[in-house]
Every structure is written in structure tokens, then in C-alpha cells.
Amino acid sequence: MEKINDIICIEGFGADSNCFLMDNILIDTGTGMNKEYLYQKIKECELNPDDISMIVNTHCHFDHAGGNYLFPEAEVAIHEKDAQYIENDNDPLTAGFMFGKSLERHDVDIKLKEGDKIANFEVLHTPGHTPGGISLWDGEVLISGDTVFANGGFGRLDIGGNLEEMNDSFKKLQKLEVEYLLPGHGPWTNQGKSHVELAHQMLFSF
């Protein structure tokens, strides 16, 4: 596993999102359908799954929040606009229907908003893929969920998405001097700013 600054990058397995580990905080949990894989990766970091004290979901979709149940003692944090979908485990905006599943854990402990802090990261509200999508920013690293991927990609807009909101989110992210881009799926990159700009250009051809 690659470590970028203090962040351990756990590549998504199958349909799982990428997960990012900062000390005992886990950013996203995948689908929960590959329990042993995720547990093993955490153990390779010299942690036990029970050591995870907080889960931060970048948004409410099943491939990012379905694994929350794997960490029953951890607090769950998600943006206030996506919390309602997590709390209603069968809500179509969780996209669980795409996997023939529903969320096994749907409690929310912390409802995030713009400007909140997670460790040394600032919460940025970056809707477009979902109403409450967030990115996390520390001045160098952007953990972007499904707002923006490497190589010009961005999250689909047909399950709770909004083109105008996505455009506004890209405008916000383009103001940042992003070095490392850590997205919810696919590879991460150390040329983050150019990849954010490329993705914004691609949005206009959508």
C-alpha cells in the first residue's frame, strides 16, 4: 500500500471505493462485500478493525458506505445533506439497488458541513455527484470522493447528481493548488491540479 504524507491508500477491491486511512480514521468503507480484504489491509497497517474510531463517508452511495457496518464502534460522519439517505437504508439515493443490497448500518453520528475539520483536513462541500458530497483538503492533498477522478473523470450524475452543482464544485476545486489527488475510484496522482482542470473540461463535453 502506498503512503502519501500520513495517509495510507487502500485500493478498492472489485466494486469497492478506494479507502484512505489516517491514524484511526477511515475515509469511506467500500461496499462491505469484501470484508476480509479490507480487514487485512487495516491489519497490515498494524491496526485492528476495532481500532477504527471514526468513519468519514465522502457521500452516501453504497460502494462508499456499505462497509460502515464492519466498524460497529466507530462514529460515522457524513455531510448533513447526505445523512438523510444513510439514515434511510433503502433510499434509492444510496444506490444499493445497483448491488441488490441495502445498507446494513445506517446511523449517523456527525453531520458535517462546509469548513468542519477532520484531523488536519478541511471539509469542502462538493455536491454534483450527490447533494452532500464532500472533499477533504489539507493544503496539499485533496481526498475527492467521486467528485473528481484522475485522468479527467468525475462521478456520474444520474443517481442524485446535478450538473450545475458539479460545475460549481469544480470551480471551487480549481482554486486549490492540489498536489496529490486521492479519488474515490481508480488511481491517485501527484499531479492533482492538472487532473482537476482536465475533469472540469470533460464536464462541459458531458
Side-chain angles (χ1 to χ4, degrees):
M1 289 178 291
E2 186 172 357
K3 187 173 183 179
I4 295 174
N5 295 347
D6 294 326
I7 306 160
I8 297 171
C9 304
I10 302 174
E11 184 178 2
F13 183 85
D16 291 342
S17 67
N18 295 331
C19 304
F20 301 99
L21 187 62
M22 301 186 294
D23 294 323
N24 57 355
I25 299 172
L26 185 62
I27 312 301
D28 287 329
T29 59
T31 63
M33 298 165 64
N34 299 295
K35 171 182 175 179
E36 295 307 321
Y37 170 81
L38 183 54
Y39 277 5
Q40 180 58 39
K41 292 299 181 183
I42 290 171
K43 289 174 183 176
E44 289 174 16
C45 301
E46 299 184 350
L47 290 172
N48 290 312
D50 290 345
D51 295 329
I52 302 299
S53 64
M54 177 182 286
I55 293 162
V56 179
N57 293 133
T58 58
H59 60 288
C60 63
H61 284 166
F62 182 83
D63 56 334
H64 291 252
N68 288 5
Y69 80 96
L70 299 174
F71 307 93
E73 302 303 318
E75 291 187 304
V76 174
I78 191 169
H79 192 273
E80 58 188 359
K81 288 193 174 181
D82 269 15
Q84 60 184 311
Y85 309 120
I86 291 285
E87 291 170 331
N88 179 6
D89 61 325
N90 287 312
D91 195 295
L93 284 191
T94 67
F97 65 90
M98 297 181 64
F99 302 86
K101 302 281 187 180
S102 62
L103 296 175
E104 293 190 37
R105 180 180 178 185
H106 48 93
D107 56 305
V108 174
D109 300 290
I110 301 169
K111 297 182 179 181
L112 299 168
K113 57 185 183 299
E114 175 86 12
D116 283 350
K117 291 288 188 176
I118 301 293
N120 60 332
F121 280 77
E122 180 182 357
V123 173
L124 305 179
H125 183 210
T126 51
H129 182 58
T130 67
I134 63 168
S135 300
L136 300 175
W137 169 243
D138 73 347
E140 182 179 12
V141 177
L142 183 72
I143 301 174
S144 61
D146 284 4
T147 302
V148 56
F149 305 136
N151 303 313
F154 53 88
R156 58 192 295 174
L157 304 177
D158 59 340
I159 307 174
N162 181 284
L163 179 60
E164 183 176 346
E165 288 184 343
M166 184 69 91
N167 185 40
D168 289 342
S169 292
F170 273 123
K171 288 179 180 178
K172 178 187 290 187
L173 296 181
Q174 281 189 294
K175 296 176 182 178
L176 308 177
E177 294 298 324
V178 179
E179 181 172 356
Y180 296 102
L181 175 66
L182 310 185
H185 298 277
W188 37 89
T189 177
N190 62 359
Q191 298 179 340
K193 187 171 180 64
S194 63
H195 285 252
V196 171
E197 292 172 349
L198 177 59
H200 196 197
Q201 294 170 12
M202 295 295 290
L203 183 67
F204 289 111
S205 64
F206 179 73

